[in-house]
Structure formats: C-alpha cells, structure tokens
Amino acid sequence: MAHHFTGAQSTGHVRLHFRDEETSKVPTSLSAIEQVDGSLWLGADESASVERLSTQDDINFGSRESFRLADYFALPGGPDQEVDFEGLAWDGEAGRLWLARSHSLRRRQPKDGESGKDALKAMGIVNRQANRYLLGSIKLNGAQGEGAQRTLQPAADAAAAMLFTAESSQLTDLLADNPLISPFLAIPSKDNGFDIEGLAVKGRSVFLGLRGPELRGWATVLQLRLEQSGKLLKLELIPGGDQTYLHHVVDLGGLVIRDLSVIDDDLLILAGPTMELDGPVRVFRWRNAFRNNHERRIDNSALDLLFDIPWGEHVDHAEGTSLFRSVYGDPQLLVVYDSPSRKRLHEGKYFEVDLFPLRL
C-alpha cells in the first residue's frame, strides 16, 4: 500500500482535571475515551471503574465521578481487580455506553535490577485477569443540564454483556474455531497475542479492532451484530448470510488497531505498532464500514490515510480517540495518551490531551 504520510500538529487542547491524589494513576494510564454530550467518559488500564468528567466550556473537564463496574456487571475477579480497559463507544440512538476489555493474557514484566535468571523466571509466568473478558453496555438515563451540556447517569438495572467467565467468553469461544486467530488466544498480548484495543458501535453493529495478532503485516477488525436480551448481549446473524461475525483484514502498512471511532457510516482507525515500540502512529478512515455485510480485505481502495500523530521516546503514546464536538467549530479528533510526558501533567493541576482537525 502506497501512501503519502502527512504529519499533523494539534490545533487545540482539552484539559482533564483530577484531584491531586488521583493524578498518579488514572491520568497516566488512560486507554479509552468517549464524548457523550457535555461529558467525557474515560477508561484506564489500571482501573476497575469508568470515569466521567463534565464541562461548562468545552475546554476544561472536571467534577469527576467514578462508577464501579462491579455495580453493573458480575465480575468474576471481584470488584477491585483491574479490567484492562481498552474501548469505549457511545450509541446515541440506543442511549448506551459500550465497554470492551482486552480479552488477553499477560506475561509478567521483569523488575529493574533483577538478575538474568530472575528476569527469565518472571517472564515465564503467564496469567490472565478474570475481569478482562467483559464486552458490554450500560444504559445512560436522565439528564442534568440542557443541550450539549446535559449529563447522563448510568442505570444500574440496565447493563448487559456477552456471556463471560474468569477463563473465557462467548467471543473467545467463538474465535477458537477461527484458524487464523485461534493459535494466538493462548499467547500474551505483548507477544502479538490476541488483544482487543478498539471498539465502535452503531445500532446493532459492533466493530472490534485488534492490536494482535498482526498477520503477515495485516491488522484485524472483527464485525459482530449484537442484540440485547435482558442482561445478555446475544449474537445475531450478519444480514445476507449465515455468519455470526466477520473477520476483516486491514492494510495499515504493518501497523495494527489501537482504537476505533465512528464518523457517519465510516470508521476512524488509530493505528500503531503491535509491540513495545513508540511509533509510528497514524489515523486512517475506512469509508462505508457500517454499510458492509461481508468479509473484506481493506486496502487503499476503501482506506484513506488522514495524518500522522506525533509521539515521544517512551512517552505520549496515543491510546484512545473520540470524535469531539463543541460549539467552537467542526468536529475534531480527541486523542488521549498512555505514558504521558511530564508537560501534559501540569504538576497535577490538570492533564492535557490533544485535538486534531478532520477534513470531513
């Protein structure tokens, strides 16, 4: 795939305000973000909750509220075990906030100063966290404020999820029969194993973007159709066929999916490296993704490169995106970062994230 790469500079910033005691954890491990009216909903790798920040000026977001996921879902690992948050999506038509966890295994990281023998021993330990298999949604009800500034509240009795346990989920059980993906279900995420990082929803159509596996330079997007039945999300057949999911391969020039966002019938893809590398990081647009009902090879016939996002050495790794709408102009792409540089933290007063222009 031949592309002309265009670097982009942010055209503005949004400030996320956390109390001082919170700055060491949530802001420094953000992995998902979604705008819902006058609020930003946030997920962090090392959290067992979803966070909401509200605004009055579309620039400063604060008044943080935290919602424990255990109050909405039966978490087999207990209420305090982190869930490896990776995706958030808003379905405005249904009024539901969707959440996705990585569904991945984890290899232990050696500690600084360990001997070679101890480091190898540590790296030989592979485990799973029981709460990582959640894919679900929560109904947001009611409104505080008016128009774009209204704030919606989660309804504890209106959450639903695909069936999952501490060991697996309906999704991973389904993929066990996929000859391309099944070998990677038992491989840790940071070793090119199975790892969900992107989520996008429109109506019953659910798209999951994978960080791994990368298959001979191709990234994977899974397309599902889910219908709520009480507390469960159940698979439906994709219209026009007999498949319960579609496996798309996407040519991102060797990069993989780090997040997904919806724009009209298209998908915005945040693409980055699958392994522990700083970059490159690029934003693509998959045209007419939500009009698709068959498995596809997605290349530059349906894919546009929009721009590159700057990154730093071991800092400022773009991790989550949301289409951001404000009273100040056209929609922009909001980007949050894992391992943020010190300049973004402003000595704990607020955490600064970036806005990038979109040519619609």
PDB file of all heavy atoms in Angstrom, residues 101-116:
ATOM      1  N   ARG A 101     -13.048  -4.894  27.119  1.00  0.00           N
ATOM      2  CA  ARG A 101     -11.789  -5.218  27.770  1.00  0.00           C
ATOM      3  C   ARG A 101     -10.908  -5.975  26.782  1.00  0.00           C
ATOM      4  O   ARG A 101     -11.354  -6.452  25.746  1.00  0.00           O
ATOM      5  CB  ARG A 101     -12.031  -6.070  29.024  1.00  0.00           C
ATOM      6  CG  ARG A 101     -12.957  -5.398  30.013  1.00  0.00           C
ATOM      7  CD  ARG A 101     -12.412  -4.034  30.471  1.00  0.00           C
ATOM      8  NE  ARG A 101     -13.379  -3.287  31.248  1.00  0.00           N
ATOM      9  CZ  ARG A 101     -14.213  -2.392  30.743  1.00  0.00           C
ATOM     10  NH1 ARG A 101     -14.208  -2.148  29.455  1.00  0.00           N
ATOM     11  NH2 ARG A 101     -15.058  -1.741  31.512  1.00  0.00           N
ATOM     12  N   SER A 102      -9.661  -6.158  27.118  1.00  0.00           N
ATOM     13  CA  SER A 102      -8.690  -6.674  26.151  1.00  0.00           C
ATOM     14  C   SER A 102      -8.905  -8.132  25.775  1.00  0.00           C
ATOM     15  O   SER A 102      -8.516  -8.569  24.695  1.00  0.00           O
ATOM     16  CB  SER A 102      -7.278  -6.513  26.705  1.00  0.00           C
ATOM     17  OG  SER A 102      -7.095  -7.359  27.841  1.00  0.00           O
ATOM     18  N   HIS A 103      -9.500  -8.954  26.661  1.00  0.00           N
ATOM     19  CA  HIS A 103      -9.653 -10.396  26.445  1.00  0.00           C
ATOM     20  C   HIS A 103      -8.287 -11.081  26.264  1.00  0.00           C
ATOM     21  O   HIS A 103      -8.184 -12.116  25.592  1.00  0.00           O
ATOM     22  CB  HIS A 103     -10.517 -10.693  25.219  1.00  0.00           C
ATOM     23  CG  HIS A 103     -11.973 -10.358  25.387  1.00  0.00           C
ATOM     24  ND1 HIS A 103     -12.432  -9.090  25.698  1.00  0.00           N
ATOM     25  CD2 HIS A 103     -13.086 -11.124  25.266  1.00  0.00           C
ATOM     26  CE1 HIS A 103     -13.747  -9.089  25.768  1.00  0.00           C
ATOM     27  NE2 HIS A 103     -14.172 -10.319  25.516  1.00  0.00           N
ATOM     28  N   SER A 104      -7.240 -10.537  26.850  1.00  0.00           N
ATOM     29  CA  SER A 104      -5.887 -11.014  26.562  1.00  0.00           C
ATOM     30  C   SER A 104      -5.227 -11.651  27.780  1.00  0.00           C
ATOM     31  O   SER A 104      -5.651 -11.469  28.919  1.00  0.00           O
ATOM     32  CB  SER A 104      -5.021  -9.849  26.074  1.00  0.00           C
ATOM     33  OG  SER A 104      -4.837  -8.901  27.112  1.00  0.00           O
ATOM     34  N   LEU A 105      -4.149 -12.383  27.496  1.00  0.00           N
ATOM     35  CA  LEU A 105      -3.270 -12.907  28.534  1.00  0.00           C
ATOM     36  C   LEU A 105      -2.137 -11.916  28.789  1.00  0.00           C
ATOM     37  O   LEU A 105      -1.833 -11.065  27.945  1.00  0.00           O
ATOM     38  CB  LEU A 105      -2.690 -14.257  28.120  1.00  0.00           C
ATOM     39  CG  LEU A 105      -3.687 -15.388  27.880  1.00  0.00           C
ATOM     40  CD1 LEU A 105      -2.946 -16.643  27.438  1.00  0.00           C
ATOM     41  CD2 LEU A 105      -4.507 -15.676  29.123  1.00  0.00           C
ATOM     42  N   ARG A 106      -1.496 -12.060  29.947  1.00  0.00           N
ATOM     43  CA  ARG A 106      -0.437 -11.120  30.333  1.00  0.00           C
ATOM     44  C   ARG A 106       0.818 -11.883  30.754  1.00  0.00           C
ATOM     45  O   ARG A 106       0.748 -12.830  31.540  1.00  0.00           O
ATOM     46  CB  ARG A 106      -0.918 -10.248  31.496  1.00  0.00           C
ATOM     47  CG  ARG A 106       0.082  -9.218  31.965  1.00  0.00           C
ATOM     48  CD  ARG A 106      -0.484  -8.377  33.088  1.00  0.00           C
ATOM     49  NE  ARG A 106      -0.802  -9.167  34.256  1.00  0.00           N
ATOM     50  CZ  ARG A 106      -1.165  -8.648  35.427  1.00  0.00           C
ATOM     51  NH1 ARG A 106      -1.290  -7.342  35.552  1.00  0.00           N
ATOM     52  NH2 ARG A 106      -1.429  -9.429  36.456  1.00  0.00           N
ATOM     53  N   ARG A 107       1.964 -11.465  30.195  1.00  0.00           N
ATOM     54  CA  ARG A 107       3.248 -12.016  30.620  1.00  0.00           C
ATOM     55  C   ARG A 107       3.857 -11.080  31.656  1.00  0.00           C
ATOM     56  O   ARG A 107       3.837  -9.851  31.489  1.00  0.00           O
ATOM     57  CB  ARG A 107       4.200 -12.169  29.428  1.00  0.00           C
ATOM     58  CG  ARG A 107       5.512 -12.875  29.793  1.00  0.00           C
ATOM     59  CD  ARG A 107       6.430 -12.988  28.582  1.00  0.00           C
ATOM     60  NE  ARG A 107       5.826 -13.742  27.497  1.00  0.00           N
ATOM     61  CZ  ARG A 107       5.759 -15.065  27.459  1.00  0.00           C
ATOM     62  NH1 ARG A 107       6.238 -15.793  28.464  1.00  0.00           N
ATOM     63  NH2 ARG A 107       5.205 -15.672  26.420  1.00  0.00           N
ATOM     64  N   ARG A 108       4.401 -11.655  32.722  1.00  0.00           N
ATOM     65  CA  ARG A 108       4.963 -10.819  33.784  1.00  0.00           C
ATOM     66  C   ARG A 108       6.189 -10.061  33.288  1.00  0.00           C
ATOM     67  O   ARG A 108       7.000 -10.590  32.519  1.00  0.00           O
ATOM     68  CB  ARG A 108       5.327 -11.663  34.998  1.00  0.00           C
ATOM     69  CG  ARG A 108       5.878 -10.852  36.173  1.00  0.00           C
ATOM     70  CD  ARG A 108       6.017 -11.682  37.427  1.00  0.00           C
ATOM     71  NE  ARG A 108       4.706 -12.095  37.942  1.00  0.00           N
ATOM     72  CZ  ARG A 108       4.547 -12.799  39.068  1.00  0.00           C
ATOM     73  NH1 ARG A 108       5.609 -13.179  39.766  1.00  0.00           N
ATOM     74  NH2 ARG A 108       3.330 -13.128  39.474  1.00  0.00           N
ATOM     75  N   GLN A 109       6.316  -8.823  33.732  1.00  0.00           N
ATOM     76  CA  GLN A 109       7.427  -7.956  33.347  1.00  0.00           C
ATOM     77  C   GLN A 109       8.552  -8.068  34.366  1.00  0.00           C
ATOM     78  O   GLN A 109       8.314  -7.985  35.580  1.00  0.00           O
ATOM     79  CB  GLN A 109       6.930  -6.505  33.283  1.00  0.00           C
ATOM     80  CG  GLN A 109       7.994  -5.475  32.999  1.00  0.00           C
ATOM     81  CD  GLN A 109       8.251  -5.308  31.517  1.00  0.00           C
ATOM     82  OE1 GLN A 109       8.039  -6.230  30.747  1.00  0.00           O
ATOM     83  NE2 GLN A 109       8.711  -4.141  31.123  1.00  0.00           N
ATOM     84  N   PRO A 110       9.806  -8.268  33.944  1.00  0.00           N
ATOM     85  CA  PRO A 110      10.919  -8.289  34.911  1.00  0.00           C
ATOM     86  C   PRO A 110      11.046  -6.944  35.617  1.00  0.00           C
ATOM     87  O   PRO A 110      10.750  -5.885  35.052  1.00  0.00           O
ATOM     88  CB  PRO A 110      12.140  -8.562  34.031  1.00  0.00           C
ATOM     89  CG  PRO A 110      11.608  -9.108  32.756  1.00  0.00           C
ATOM     90  CD  PRO A 110      10.272  -8.501  32.571  1.00  0.00           C
ATOM     91  N   LYS A 111      11.507  -6.992  36.849  1.00  0.00           N
ATOM     92  CA  LYS A 111      11.711  -5.765  37.617  1.00  0.00           C
ATOM     93  C   LYS A 111      13.115  -5.218  37.369  1.00  0.00           C
ATOM     94  O   LYS A 111      14.047  -5.975  37.055  1.00  0.00           O
ATOM     95  CB  LYS A 111      11.524  -6.038  39.112  1.00  0.00           C
ATOM     96  CG  LYS A 111      10.111  -6.484  39.482  1.00  0.00           C
ATOM     97  CD  LYS A 111      10.007  -6.775  40.968  1.00  0.00           C
ATOM     98  CE  LYS A 111       8.595  -7.232  41.339  1.00  0.00           C
ATOM     99  NZ  LYS A 111       8.478  -7.556  42.790  1.00  0.00           N
ATOM    100  N   ASP A 112      13.241  -3.929  37.502  1.00  0.00           N
ATOM    101  CA  ASP A 112      14.551  -3.305  37.376  1.00  0.00           C
ATOM    102  C   ASP A 112      15.523  -3.904  38.388  1.00  0.00           C
ATOM    103  O   ASP A 112      15.180  -4.082  39.565  1.00  0.00           O
ATOM    104  CB  ASP A 112      14.448  -1.788  37.599  1.00  0.00           C
ATOM    105  CG  ASP A 112      13.702  -1.090  36.480  1.00  0.00           C
ATOM    106  OD1 ASP A 112      13.580  -1.679  35.404  1.00  0.00           O
ATOM    107  OD2 ASP A 112      13.239   0.047  36.703  1.00  0.00           O
ATOM    108  N   GLY A 113      16.731  -4.229  37.933  1.00  0.00           N
ATOM    109  CA  GLY A 113      17.759  -4.734  38.836  1.00  0.00           C
ATOM    110  C   GLY A 113      17.750  -6.226  39.033  1.00  0.00           C
ATOM    111  O   GLY A 113      18.656  -6.766  39.691  1.00  0.00           O
ATOM    112  N   GLU A 114      16.773  -6.934  38.479  1.00  0.00           N
ATOM    113  CA  GLU A 114      16.741  -8.385  38.619  1.00  0.00           C
ATOM    114  C   GLU A 114      17.874  -9.026  37.823  1.00  0.00           C
ATOM    115  O   GLU A 114      18.288  -8.513  36.774  1.00  0.00           O
ATOM    116  CB  GLU A 114      15.401  -8.947  38.124  1.00  0.00           C
ATOM    117  CG  GLU A 114      14.266  -8.820  39.110  1.00  0.00           C
ATOM    118  CD  GLU A 114      13.018  -9.541  38.632  1.00  0.00           C
ATOM    119  OE1 GLU A 114      12.820  -9.637  37.408  1.00  0.00           O
ATOM    120  OE2 GLU A 114      12.240 -10.005  39.479  1.00  0.00           O
ATOM    121  N   SER A 115      18.358 -10.153  38.318  1.00  0.00           N
ATOM    122  CA  SER A 115      19.366 -10.905  37.576  1.00  0.00           C
ATOM    123  C   SER A 115      18.734 -11.514  36.325  1.00  0.00           C
ATOM    124  O   SER A 115      17.510 -11.581  36.190  1.00  0.00           O
ATOM    125  CB  SER A 115      19.930 -12.027  38.454  1.00  0.00           C
ATOM    126  OG  SER A 115      18.922 -13.008  38.711  1.00  0.00           O
ATOM    127  N   GLY A 116      19.604 -11.959  35.404  1.00  0.00           N
ATOM    128  CA  GLY A 116      19.094 -12.594  34.196  1.00  0.00           C
ATOM    129  C   GLY A 116      18.239 -13.801  34.509  1.00  0.00           C
ATOM    130  O   GLY A 116      17.204 -14.013  33.880  1.00  0.00           O
TER     131      GLY A 116
END
